[in-house]
Amino acid sequence: MTIQTTVNGNSAEIALEGWLDTQTSPELGTAVDELDSSVTDIVLDFKKLDYISSAGLRQIVVIYKKVRSLIIRNVTPEIMEIFRMTGFDKRLNIQ
Amino acid sequence: MSVKEAADSRPKKRGSVLRFITAIFLTVIVITGIACSVVGYLDVIHDIHDTSSQTAHSVSVILEDMYNSDVVSGNEGLLQADFRRDERMERVSKMLQLLCKDLDLVYLYVFTIDEEEKEYLYYFTAAADEEINEKVSQERGFGTVVPTDSFPQSVLAASKGATNTEVWKNENKYGKVYSWMYPLFDKEGNVRYIVGVDFDATKIENEIFQHTLRTSASIVLILLIMFLLLLILIRRKVLVPIKFVSTKMNRFMDDKERDDTPLDISVNNEVGEIADSFNKMRNDINQYLTEISTLTTERVQTQTQMEIAQRIQYGIVPAETYLNTKSYDAYAVERPCRNVGGDFYDLFVRDGDTLCAAVGDVSGKGVTAALFMVMVRTAIREKLLSGLSPARVLNLINDEICASNPEGLFATVFIAVLHLATGRLEYANAGHTPPVLLGQSETFLKVDSGIPVGLFEDAGIENAERLLAPGEGFLLYTDGVTEAVSKGGQFFGHERVLSATKGKKDARETVISLKADVRTFAEGREQFDDLTILAFFYGTYEPELSLAPQRSEWEKLKAFVLDKTDSSPLQKKLMLICDEIFTNIVSYSGAKKIGFSCEKEARCFTLLFTDDGKPFDPLSEKQNKKDFEEYDMGGMGILLVRQTADSIYYQRHDGQNRLLCRVDISADNKKITI
């Protein structure tokens, strides 16, 4: 999985590419942890994300609880389906 | 027809009742005739005897009167003109001749006898006939003495004054005569002369004969006429109708020219009764004949049908099938009952990876049932080979049958399909007896009873599935097993099925044991239904992939699944399930070894995880929907699996967790809840 992080002031945009599975999800956690503590708003770009499992979803919850604002962008229908199964679609700001 | 009967049916020479009656009548007539003749004869003789004796007596009285009056008148009396021919004598002679003529006498003569000299002394002799009169007047004229050897009794009696003399049948040169002798008394009462009166014997006899003949003949004639009338009556009223009935009876059962029309006789007597009885018998026999002929036809038809059906059945359904490899062990037998039944089974391996088993029972018997069975069985095999699910197979067959089923046939069928790669068992039931789950503990599987195929359109038979662990098996059978009846009238029932298969680990052994138990149970009774038993066991399971319980093994698993599937939304679903379950096992089970198989079936993918960790049934996990904020602690994995997979089946077997997930290839496959 490739993680592309762009920081702009107190907001950061993290673009994910590939599979966010049990093996790779810790990488997302690491990427967020590495951000400056001034970053309060995070935007996750799922445009190139092919796959997400519960481990990935768990990381999203961790990030959600950590920051002030979390926006998920460019969600593919497949992943949207998984959000729907878990009720994430109702709690997350999906654009 | 036996020899004896054949001999009996040969026409016998029979006597005739008419002839018999005639014989009796003739005998009666002859006897009557004879009796009449005898009686008549005696009667006539008596009559003539009386008449002639009276006549003779009268003549003697007349002569006696003449004599005595002659004496009184001073003459010498009748005979005092001793041996002279004078006028008076001529007159007497003439008068005697007149008497002869008037009284129809042959001779009339007056004589005395001299017993000592043995002489007749004739005074007068007259005859009716002129010439003879002349002659006898000469030969036995006045004063003729005729010597004799002896006197007849009547002459002697008359000479002694007896007036009750018997007739003297006398034949001499003057002819055959019946003579009466009467004494002629003078005034003093002394016998003066003997008067002889002769009747013509031939004439009398003739008269007697004629009289007798007349009497008898008339009686015989009357009898004869009466008899003839009676005969005609008997013939018309009895014999002809009887003959008619008899002819009718003969023709009733005649092979060539059978006449079974009812008897129409307008006779109101015993023959009429016979005719009535015949008509009743005719109706009964005709009815029986119809019944017998119907029964015979039916029996022949049934027998032929049964033979054809049996040949069809034997040809299509082998008596036994035995399949055995490392991964499966299957055995089936069919024993049709004495005729032919609608039982059938099918047992085959599809594409080397699927064991297909079907057991069914078709309604009815005979060729129709056999053909129907063949149709159903062929359709099942064809559809199973095309990869359809058991329920789909049954529903399609149901639709096909319902489209055209004039005979109203139906069949109960149970289909089980075992996917050998995983042990996933699919099954569907169309109204058949429930199967027994073999292996660890023998139990009847609770299955949806379904509806027999052919009964209703839109049967809506549903698929069911479960996971067979290695060593577990399935027993299918027909109701010939559970409904076998013992001598005591008990049914074999379900409990005996369980006890017969208890602890059996081998398909052949299981079937043979159950069959033997049924046979022993029903000993002495005819098997009244077919008997079909099929058993199969799942053999050893080898996971395709063995994994260590480490997160790093995920890449191996991922690569394996990706390799087995092509990129599609389905692939992601499968990956998600694998991801979640693998993570779960690695994180919580404490397993030392993880086994995995991914099998692409005709309509779905199946994923089987095995691990030797602590028991964990993801299905029993309470589905408390956690709050979003709690999901950082996990708990979404099983939820996602349950949402993604079309079915999940968990079992704990032999110290292992076994979890099977199915994901259907086509989305329109109905989701199955297990």
Side-chain angles (χ1 to χ4, degrees), chain A residues 18-24 26 50-62 64-65 70 78 81-92, chain B residues 551-555 558 562 568-569 571-573 575-580 582-583 588 625 627-637 639-640 643-644:
Chain A
W19 288 47
L20 184 62
D21 57 24
T22 182
Q23 191 80 27
T24 57
D50 294 325
Y51 169 91
I52 189 165
S53 75
S54 67
L57 295 175
R58 200 171 147 187
Q59 283 301 329
I60 292 173
V61 178
V62 171
Y64 175 84
K65 286 168 92 170
L70 174 67
E78 283 175 38
E81 178 62 32
I82 300 208
F83 282 172
R84 219 173 271 133
M85 285 182 196
T86 49
F88 274 41
D89 58 331
K90 294 195 180 82
R91 299 296 303 270
L92 291 173
Chain B
R551 244 172 247 278
S552 58
E553 291 280 278
W554 164 243
E555 287 304 326
K558 185 177 163 186
L562 285 176
S568 68
Q571 190 180 49
K572 300 281 167 51
K573 278 187 174 181
M575 288 313 301
L576 181 67
I577 293 166
C578 289
D579 191 342
E580 303 301 347
F582 176 73
T583 309
Y588 308 111
K625 195 133 190 178
D627 204 43
F628 175 72
E629 279 80 8
E630 295 171 313
Y631 276 141
D632 59 336
M633 301 305 289
M636 278 173 295
L639 176 71
L640 282 174
Q643 298 259 4
T644 310

Side-chain angles (χ1 to χ4, degrees), chain A residues 30-70:
Chain A
T30 313
V32 171
D33 287 343
E34 281 171 358
L35 287 173
D36 194 274
S37 57
S38 61
V39 174
T40 53
D41 303 348
I42 287 181
V43 175
L44 291 174
D45 190 345
F46 278 12
K47 192 178 182 180
K48 290 180 177 169
L49 188 68
D50 294 325
Y51 169 91
I52 189 165
S53 75
S54 67
L57 295 175
R58 200 171 147 187
Q59 283 301 329
I60 292 173
V61 178
V62 171
I63 295 166
Y64 175 84
K65 286 168 92 170
K66 213 171 184 178
V67 299
R68 195 170 56 94
S69 150
L70 174 67

Side-chain angles (χ1 to χ4, degrees), chain B residues 17-225:
Chain B
V17 178
L18 207 60
R19 214 173 294 158
F20 180 66
I21 293 173
T22 312
I24 288 177
F25 265 92
L26 286 180
T27 314
V28 168
I29 288 170
V30 167
I31 291 170
T32 314
I34 291 169
C36 285
S37 304
V38 171
V39 172
Y41 176 74
L42 292 175
D43 205 37
V44 167
I45 284 191
H46 189 72
D47 230 37
I48 289 175
H49 189 275
D50 274 7
T51 317
S52 56
S53 96
Q54 269 170 24
T55 310
H57 190 238
S58 305
V59 170
S60 76
V61 169
I62 291 167
L63 290 181
E64 192 178 277
D65 208 38
M66 263 175 67
Y67 167 75
N68 285 323
S69 62
D70 215 17
V71 173
V72 169
S73 63
N75 286 327
E76 296 165 350
L78 180 64
L79 304 169
Q80 284 308 310
D82 293 331
F83 304 105
R84 286 172 308 192
R85 290 182 74 92
D86 58 8
E87 199 180 322
R88 207 171 52 94
M89 250 178 64
E90 283 295 321
R91 202 162 39 85
V92 171
S93 258
K94 201 78 191 161
M95 199 193 64
L96 290 182
Q97 198 195 354
L98 275 173
L99 273 175
C100 268
K101 277 183 182 167
D102 283 357
L103 299 171
D104 204 16
L105 309 175
V106 192
Y107 305 110
L108 177 62
Y109 44 96
V110 180
F111 66 95
T112 54
I113 54 166
D114 188 340
E115 278 184 81
E116 275 170 34
E117 294 295 324
K118 289 189 195 278
E119 285 174 346
Y120 288 101
L121 181 61
Y122 289 90
Y123 295 88
F124 292 100
T125 302
D129 190 82
E130 210 63 53
E131 276 180 39
I132 296 171
N133 187 52
E134 203 58 43
K135 193 180 165 208
V136 294
S137 312
Q138 294 293 320
E139 287 176 8
R140 293 281 192 271
F142 194 87
T144 313
V145 176
V146 177
T148 184
D149 295 335
S150 63
F151 297 105
Q153 195 57 47
S154 57
V155 173
L156 288 172
S159 72
K160 304 270 182 318
T163 54
N164 56 347
T165 52
E166 288 297 309
V167 69
W168 174 32
K169 290 173 186 173
N170 180 16
E171 192 173 356
N172 53 31
K173 61 173 182 170
Y174 299 108
K176 197 176 167 190
V177 292
Y178 288 167
S179 309
W180 294 94
M181 301 300 163
Y182 279 94
L184 195 155
F185 297 100
D186 60 14
K187 280 229 182 334
E188 283 74 38
N190 300 315
V191 177
R192 188 72 186 84
Y193 303 105
I194 298 169
V195 178
V197 180
D198 283 7
F199 292 90
D200 187 344
T202 317
K203 202 172 168 187
I204 287 177
E205 277 167 9
N206 215 19
E207 202 175 319
I208 290 170
F209 174 73
Q210 276 182 7
H211 193 272
T212 309
L213 196 68
R214 258 200 315 276
T215 319
S216 311
S218 56
I219 288 173
V220 165
L221 199 67
I222 289 167
L223 279 175
L224 214 57
I225 289 165

